Amino acid sequence: MAALVVGACNTVIIALIAYIRSGNLLFLGIAAMDAGLLALRLRCLRRPQEPSDLLFASGLLWTMLQGITIVLIVVAGDMPMMIVALASGLGAVGGIIGRNFAAPRYALAQTNIIDLSFKVSFACIAPEFIPLLVIQSVIFVVINVSLIRQQRATMIRALTAEVESRKQSSIDPLTKLLNRRGLDEAFAREGQADGTVALFYLDLDGFKQVNDRLGHAAGDFLLLQVGERLGQSCDPSAAICRLGGDEFLVLTALTDERAMQALGIKLVKALSLPYQIEDSVLASIGVSVGIAFGVRQRTTLATLMARADEALYGAKLQGKGRCVLYRGGSNDTTTPPDLALAS
Protein backbone atom coordinates (compact mmCIF):
# COMPACT_ATOMS: atom_id res chain seq x y z
CA MET A 1 0.00 0.00 0.00
CA ALA A 2 2.87 2.40 0.74
CA ALA A 3 4.13 2.38 -2.86
CA LEU A 4 0.60 2.83 -4.17
CA VAL A 5 -0.12 5.80 -1.89
CA VAL A 6 3.21 7.52 -2.60
CA GLY A 7 2.79 7.03 -6.37
CA ALA A 8 -0.76 8.42 -6.35
CA CYS A 9 0.21 11.43 -4.23
CA ASN A 10 3.08 12.15 -6.60
CA THR A 11 0.84 12.16 -9.68
CA VAL A 12 -1.80 14.29 -7.93
CA ILE A 13 0.85 16.87 -7.05
CA ILE A 14 2.19 16.93 -10.63
CA ALA A 15 -1.33 17.47 -12.01
CA LEU A 16 -1.96 20.28 -9.53
CA ILE A 17 1.34 22.01 -10.38
CA ALA A 18 0.56 21.69 -14.08
CA TYR A 19 -2.85 23.29 -13.43
CA ILE A 20 -1.27 26.16 -11.53
CA ARG A 21 1.28 26.78 -14.34
CA SER A 22 -1.15 26.45 -17.25
CA GLY A 23 -4.61 27.16 -15.83
CA ASN A 24 -5.92 24.16 -17.80
CA LEU A 25 -8.91 22.75 -15.88
CA LEU A 26 -8.21 19.29 -17.31
CA PHE A 27 -5.27 18.99 -14.92
CA LEU A 28 -7.54 19.82 -11.97
CA GLY A 29 -9.99 17.12 -13.09
CA ILE A 30 -7.16 14.60 -13.44
CA ALA A 31 -5.96 15.39 -9.91
CA ALA A 32 -9.46 14.84 -8.54
CA MET A 33 -9.85 11.55 -10.43
CA ASP A 34 -6.42 10.42 -9.20
CA ALA A 35 -7.46 11.02 -5.60
CA GLY A 36 -10.72 9.16 -6.12
CA LEU A 37 -8.93 6.20 -7.72
CA LEU A 38 -6.54 6.05 -4.78
CA ALA A 39 -9.44 5.72 -2.37
CA LEU A 40 -11.01 3.01 -4.55
CA ARG A 41 -7.78 1.01 -4.85
CA LEU A 42 -7.14 1.16 -1.10
CA ARG A 43 -10.67 -0.12 -0.51
CA CYS A 44 -10.05 -3.02 -2.91
CA LEU A 45 -6.77 -3.93 -1.21
CA ARG A 46 -8.46 -4.03 2.19
CA ARG A 47 -10.97 -6.59 0.87
CA PRO A 48 -8.79 -9.35 -0.61
CA GLN A 49 -11.66 -11.86 -0.51
CA GLU A 50 -13.54 -9.93 -3.20
CA PRO A 51 -12.89 -10.39 -6.97
CA SER A 52 -9.81 -8.49 -8.16
CA ASP A 53 -11.35 -7.20 -11.41
CA LEU A 54 -12.06 -3.75 -9.98
CA LEU A 55 -8.54 -3.45 -8.56
CA PHE A 56 -6.95 -4.29 -11.92
CA ALA A 57 -9.31 -1.99 -13.85
CA SER A 58 -8.64 0.93 -11.48
CA GLY A 59 -4.89 0.35 -11.86
CA LEU A 60 -5.16 0.58 -15.63
CA LEU A 61 -7.29 3.71 -15.35
CA TRP A 62 -4.69 5.29 -13.06
CA THR A 63 -2.01 4.54 -15.66
CA MET A 64 -4.14 6.08 -18.40
CA LEU A 65 -4.54 9.24 -16.34
CA GLN A 66 -0.75 9.47 -16.08
CA GLY A 67 -0.52 9.06 -19.83
CA ILE A 68 -3.08 11.83 -20.42
CA THR A 69 -1.21 14.12 -18.01
CA ILE A 70 2.07 13.50 -19.84
CA VAL A 71 0.51 14.13 -23.26
CA LEU A 72 -1.04 17.43 -22.12
CA ILE A 73 2.25 18.59 -20.60
CA VAL A 74 4.32 17.71 -23.70
CA VAL A 75 1.82 19.31 -26.09
CA ALA A 76 1.78 22.48 -23.94
CA GLY A 77 5.56 22.78 -24.44
CA ASP A 78 6.32 23.50 -20.77
CA MET A 79 9.93 22.22 -20.64
CA PRO A 80 10.35 22.22 -16.81
CA MET A 81 7.08 20.29 -16.43
CA MET A 82 8.19 17.88 -19.19
CA ILE A 83 11.32 17.03 -17.18
CA VAL A 84 9.29 16.56 -14.01
CA ALA A 85 6.68 14.44 -15.81
CA LEU A 86 9.42 12.32 -17.44
CA ALA A 87 11.09 11.66 -14.09
CA SER A 88 7.71 10.80 -12.56
CA GLY A 89 6.88 8.45 -15.45
CA LEU A 90 10.19 6.61 -15.15
CA GLY A 91 9.63 6.23 -11.43
CA ALA A 92 6.14 4.89 -12.07
CA VAL A 93 7.51 2.33 -14.56
CA GLY A 94 10.00 1.08 -11.97
CA GLY A 95 7.28 0.87 -9.34
CA ILE A 96 4.91 -0.99 -11.68
CA ILE A 97 7.53 -3.61 -12.56
CA GLY A 98 8.45 -4.04 -8.89
CA ARG A 99 4.83 -4.29 -7.79
CA ASN A 100 3.01 -6.09 -10.61
CA PHE A 101 5.61 -8.47 -12.07
CA ALA A 102 3.51 -11.41 -10.87
CA ALA A 103 0.97 -10.37 -13.54
CA PRO A 104 3.39 -9.79 -16.46
CA ARG A 105 0.90 -8.85 -19.20
CA TYR A 106 -0.80 -6.39 -16.88
CA ALA A 107 2.52 -4.81 -15.87
CA LEU A 108 3.64 -4.59 -19.50
CA ALA A 109 0.38 -2.91 -20.51
CA GLN A 110 0.82 -0.28 -17.77
CA THR A 111 4.45 0.48 -18.62
CA ASN A 112 3.68 0.72 -22.35
CA ILE A 113 0.87 3.21 -21.72
CA ILE A 114 3.26 5.52 -19.86
CA ASP A 115 6.09 5.08 -22.37
CA LEU A 116 3.91 5.61 -25.45
CA SER A 117 2.31 8.72 -23.96
CA PHE A 118 5.77 10.35 -24.04
CA LYS A 119 6.84 9.10 -27.41
CA VAL A 120 3.58 9.65 -29.31
CA SER A 121 3.08 13.18 -27.98
CA PHE A 122 6.74 14.06 -28.63
CA ALA A 123 6.50 12.60 -32.15
CA CYS A 124 3.60 14.95 -32.86
CA ILE A 125 5.71 18.05 -32.15
CA ALA A 126 9.02 16.67 -33.52
CA PRO A 127 8.23 14.11 -36.27
CA GLU A 128 11.87 13.94 -37.36
CA PHE A 129 12.57 11.87 -34.23
CA ILE A 130 9.99 9.17 -35.07
CA PRO A 131 12.56 6.54 -36.30
CA LEU A 132 14.57 6.95 -33.11
CA LEU A 133 11.44 6.81 -30.96
CA VAL A 134 10.35 3.56 -32.64
CA ILE A 135 13.76 1.97 -31.95
CA GLN A 136 13.63 3.14 -28.33
CA SER A 137 10.11 1.75 -27.91
CA VAL A 138 11.24 -1.69 -29.06
CA ILE A 139 14.24 -1.60 -26.73
CA PHE A 140 12.01 -0.40 -23.87
CA VAL A 141 9.61 -3.33 -24.35
CA VAL A 142 12.42 -5.90 -24.61
CA ILE A 143 14.11 -4.65 -21.44
CA ASN A 144 10.86 -4.52 -19.49
CA VAL A 145 9.88 -8.04 -20.57
CA SER A 146 13.29 -9.28 -19.46
CA LEU A 147 13.03 -7.53 -16.08
CA ILE A 148 9.49 -8.76 -15.47
CA ARG A 149 10.40 -12.35 -16.34
CA GLN A 150 13.49 -12.25 -14.15
CA GLN A 151 11.61 -10.90 -11.14
CA ARG A 152 8.73 -13.33 -11.68
CA ALA A 153 11.13 -16.29 -11.91
CA THR A 154 12.87 -15.12 -8.74
CA MET A 155 9.54 -14.88 -6.93
CA ILE A 156 8.47 -18.34 -8.09
CA ARG A 157 11.76 -19.86 -6.93
CA ALA A 158 11.43 -18.16 -3.54
CA LEU A 159 7.82 -19.26 -3.08
CA THR A 160 8.58 -22.81 -4.21
CA ALA A 161 11.48 -23.01 -1.77
CA GLU A 162 9.28 -21.69 1.04
CA VAL A 163 6.51 -24.18 0.28
CA GLU A 164 9.01 -27.04 0.13
CA SER A 165 10.61 -25.90 3.39
CA ARG A 166 7.24 -25.80 5.13
CA LYS A 167 6.34 -29.17 3.68
CA GLN A 168 9.59 -30.74 4.87
CA SER A 169 9.17 -29.26 8.32
CA SER A 170 5.74 -30.91 8.69
CA ILE A 171 6.52 -34.32 7.12
CA ASP A 172 8.17 -37.34 8.70
CA PRO A 173 11.24 -38.02 6.51
CA LEU A 174 10.95 -41.83 6.70
CA THR A 175 7.25 -42.59 6.23
CA LYS A 176 6.27 -39.32 4.49
CA LEU A 177 3.36 -39.09 6.92
CA LEU A 178 2.76 -35.95 8.93
CA ASN A 179 4.96 -35.27 11.92
CA ARG A 180 3.70 -33.62 15.11
CA ARG A 181 3.97 -30.14 13.61
CA GLY A 182 2.08 -31.27 10.52
CA LEU A 183 -0.67 -32.73 12.70
CA ASP A 184 -0.90 -29.46 14.64
CA GLU A 185 -1.36 -27.60 11.35
CA ALA A 186 -3.99 -30.07 10.14
CA PHE A 187 -5.92 -29.71 13.39
CA ALA A 188 -5.69 -25.91 13.20
CA ARG A 189 -6.99 -25.88 9.61
CA GLU A 190 -10.06 -27.85 10.63
CA GLY A 191 -10.45 -26.16 14.00
CA GLN A 192 -13.42 -24.02 12.98
CA ALA A 193 -15.41 -26.89 11.49
CA ASP A 194 -18.42 -28.26 13.33
CA GLY A 195 -18.76 -31.84 14.50
CA THR A 196 -16.81 -34.40 16.46
CA VAL A 197 -13.16 -35.21 15.89
CA ALA A 198 -11.56 -38.50 16.96
CA LEU A 199 -7.90 -39.15 17.70
CA PHE A 200 -6.44 -42.67 17.51
CA TYR A 201 -3.16 -43.16 19.37
CA LEU A 202 -1.36 -46.27 18.09
CA ASP A 203 1.64 -48.01 19.59
CA LEU A 204 3.14 -51.00 17.79
CA ASP A 205 3.49 -54.17 19.89
CA GLY A 206 6.63 -56.21 19.26
CA PHE A 207 8.33 -53.70 16.97
CA LYS A 208 11.46 -53.47 19.12
CA GLN A 209 12.01 -57.22 18.90
CA VAL A 210 11.75 -57.08 15.09
CA ASN A 211 14.12 -54.14 14.98
CA ASP A 212 16.65 -55.90 17.22
CA ARG A 213 16.40 -59.24 15.41
CA LEU A 214 16.39 -58.07 11.79
CA GLY A 215 18.16 -54.72 12.03
CA HIS A 216 17.25 -51.07 11.69
CA ALA A 217 16.88 -51.23 7.91
CA ALA A 218 14.21 -53.91 8.28
CA GLY A 219 12.58 -51.87 11.03
CA ASP A 220 12.45 -48.81 8.80
CA PHE A 221 10.95 -50.87 5.98
CA LEU A 222 8.32 -52.21 8.36
CA LEU A 223 7.44 -48.67 9.48
CA LEU A 224 7.00 -47.69 5.84
CA GLN A 225 4.53 -50.53 5.38
CA VAL A 226 2.70 -49.52 8.54
CA GLY A 227 2.28 -46.03 7.10
CA GLU A 228 0.95 -47.45 3.84
CA ARG A 229 -1.56 -49.68 5.65
CA LEU A 230 -2.77 -46.75 7.73
CA GLY A 231 -3.34 -44.75 4.57
CA GLN A 232 -5.27 -47.62 3.01
CA SER A 233 -7.39 -48.19 6.13
CA CYS A 234 -8.39 -44.59 6.85
CA ASP A 235 -10.55 -42.10 5.01
CA PRO A 236 -8.55 -39.92 2.57
CA SER A 237 -9.46 -36.86 4.64
CA ALA A 238 -7.86 -38.30 7.79
CA ALA A 239 -4.60 -36.77 9.03
CA ILE A 240 -2.08 -39.55 9.72
CA CYS A 241 1.00 -38.78 11.79
CA ARG A 242 4.09 -40.64 12.86
CA LEU A 243 4.69 -39.22 16.31
CA GLY A 244 8.10 -40.83 16.64
CA GLY A 245 9.60 -44.30 16.98
CA ASP A 246 6.75 -46.79 16.64
CA GLU A 247 3.94 -44.44 17.69
CA PHE A 248 1.34 -43.15 15.24
CA LEU A 249 -1.68 -40.85 15.43
CA VAL A 250 -4.78 -40.74 13.25
CA LEU A 251 -7.01 -37.65 13.38
CA THR A 252 -10.34 -38.04 11.66
CA ALA A 253 -13.90 -36.72 11.71
CA LEU A 254 -16.24 -39.35 13.13
CA THR A 255 -19.72 -38.71 14.46
CA ASP A 256 -20.38 -41.60 16.85
CA GLU A 257 -18.63 -44.18 19.00
CA ARG A 258 -19.64 -47.13 16.85
CA ALA A 259 -17.81 -45.63 13.88
CA MET A 260 -14.76 -45.05 16.06
CA GLN A 261 -14.89 -48.65 17.32
CA ALA A 262 -15.22 -49.95 13.76
CA LEU A 263 -12.16 -48.01 12.63
CA GLY A 264 -10.25 -49.19 15.70
CA ILE A 265 -10.98 -52.82 14.82
CA LYS A 266 -9.95 -52.19 11.22
CA LEU A 267 -6.63 -50.66 12.24
CA VAL A 268 -5.76 -53.46 14.67
CA LYS A 269 -6.53 -56.12 12.06
CA ALA A 270 -4.70 -54.34 9.25
CA LEU A 271 -1.51 -53.67 11.22
CA SER A 272 -1.43 -57.17 12.77
CA LEU A 273 -1.11 -58.98 9.42
CA PRO A 274 2.42 -60.31 8.66
CA TYR A 275 4.91 -58.02 6.93
CA GLN A 276 7.11 -59.17 4.04
CA ILE A 277 10.55 -57.83 4.89
CA GLU A 278 12.55 -59.89 2.38
CA ASP A 279 11.71 -62.67 -0.04
CA SER A 280 11.89 -65.31 2.68
CA VAL A 281 11.49 -63.16 5.79
CA LEU A 282 8.16 -62.34 7.43
CA ALA A 283 7.73 -60.22 10.52
CA SER A 284 4.71 -60.07 12.79
CA ILE A 285 3.77 -57.27 15.13
CA GLY A 286 0.61 -56.11 16.84
CA VAL A 287 -0.80 -52.73 17.76
CA SER A 288 -2.54 -51.22 20.75
CA VAL A 289 -4.89 -48.30 20.20
CA GLY A 290 -6.26 -45.60 22.47
CA ILE A 291 -9.16 -43.50 21.19
CA ALA A 292 -10.33 -40.08 22.36
CA PHE A 293 -12.88 -37.76 20.84
CA GLY A 294 -14.35 -34.32 21.36
CA VAL A 295 -16.17 -31.44 19.70
CA ARG A 296 -13.71 -29.54 17.50
CA GLN A 297 -14.44 -26.05 18.79
CA ARG A 298 -14.37 -27.10 22.46
CA THR A 299 -11.23 -29.19 22.62
CA THR A 300 -7.53 -28.99 21.78
CA LEU A 301 -5.17 -31.43 20.16
CA ALA A 302 -3.10 -31.61 23.33
CA THR A 303 -6.18 -32.60 25.33
CA LEU A 304 -7.13 -35.29 22.82
CA MET A 305 -3.59 -36.65 22.86
CA ALA A 306 -3.52 -36.85 26.64
CA ARG A 307 -6.84 -38.68 26.73
CA ALA A 308 -5.92 -41.03 23.89
CA ASP A 309 -2.58 -41.76 25.57
CA GLU A 310 -4.41 -42.65 28.78
CA ALA A 311 -6.71 -44.96 26.84
CA LEU A 312 -3.67 -46.51 25.12
CA TYR A 313 -2.13 -47.21 28.53
CA GLY A 314 -5.34 -49.01 29.47
CA ALA A 315 -5.11 -51.10 26.30
CA LYS A 316 -1.55 -52.12 27.17
CA LEU A 317 -2.62 -53.14 30.67
CA GLN A 318 -5.40 -55.32 29.29
CA GLY A 319 -3.06 -57.42 27.21
CA LYS A 320 -2.10 -55.38 24.10
CA GLY A 321 -3.61 -55.89 20.68
CA ARG A 322 -6.69 -54.02 21.88
CA CYS A 323 -8.57 -50.78 21.37
CA VAL A 324 -9.67 -48.76 24.35
CA LEU A 325 -12.08 -45.85 24.14
CA TYR A 326 -11.54 -42.98 26.57
CA ARG A 327 -14.71 -42.28 28.53
CA GLY A 328 -13.80 -39.58 31.01
CA GLY A 329 -11.07 -40.80 33.32
CA SER A 330 -8.50 -43.50 34.03
CA ASN A 331 -11.09 -45.53 35.93
CA ASP A 332 -13.54 -45.31 33.07
CA THR A 333 -11.50 -46.26 30.01
CA THR A 334 -13.32 -49.26 28.68
CA THR A 335 -12.83 -51.92 26.08
CA PRO A 336 -16.11 -52.85 24.42
CA PRO A 337 -16.39 -56.62 23.89
CA ASP A 338 -15.97 -56.35 20.14
CA LEU A 339 -12.70 -54.39 20.58
CA ALA A 340 -10.94 -56.94 22.78
CA LEU A 341 -8.81 -58.38 19.97
CA ALA A 342 -5.95 -60.70 20.71
CA SER A 343 -2.61 -59.61 19.25
Side-chain angles (χ1 to χ4, degrees), residues 60 64 77 112 117 146 168 178 182 188 217 222 246 254 262 264 270 295 298:
L60 278 177
M64 291 176 185
N112 282 340
S117 65
S146 176
Q168 292 299 325
L178 298 176
L222 190 149
D246 58 353
L254 293 174
V295 178
R298 295 202 298 269

Side-chain angles (χ1 to χ4, degrees), residues 217-298:
D220 288 347
F221 186 64
L222 190 149
L223 290 174
L224 278 170
Q225 294 186 62
V226 168
E228 291 175 359
R229 293 186 187 185
L230 286 174
Q232 295 165 0
S233 301
C234 298
D235 187 271
S237 63
I240 305 173
C241 163
R242 181 190 176 206
L243 189 59
D246 58 353
E247 294 184 330
F248 295 81
L249 297 170
V250 175
L251 183 70
T252 185
L254 293 174
T255 57
D256 58 67
E257 294 183 13
R258 293 190 65 84
M260 298 174 201
Q261 294 167 6
L263 180 56
I265 294 172
K266 187 177 182 180
L267 294 177
V268 171
K269 288 182 176 179
L271 299 189
S272 298
L273 294 174
Y275 295 82
Q276 186 80 47
I277 303 301
E278 297 176 2
D279 290 341
S280 58
V281 178
L282 290 176
S284 295
I285 60 172
V287 63
S288 298
V289 183
I291 309 170
F293 62 94
V295 178
R296 290 182 185 274
Q297 295 179 327
R298 295 202 298 269

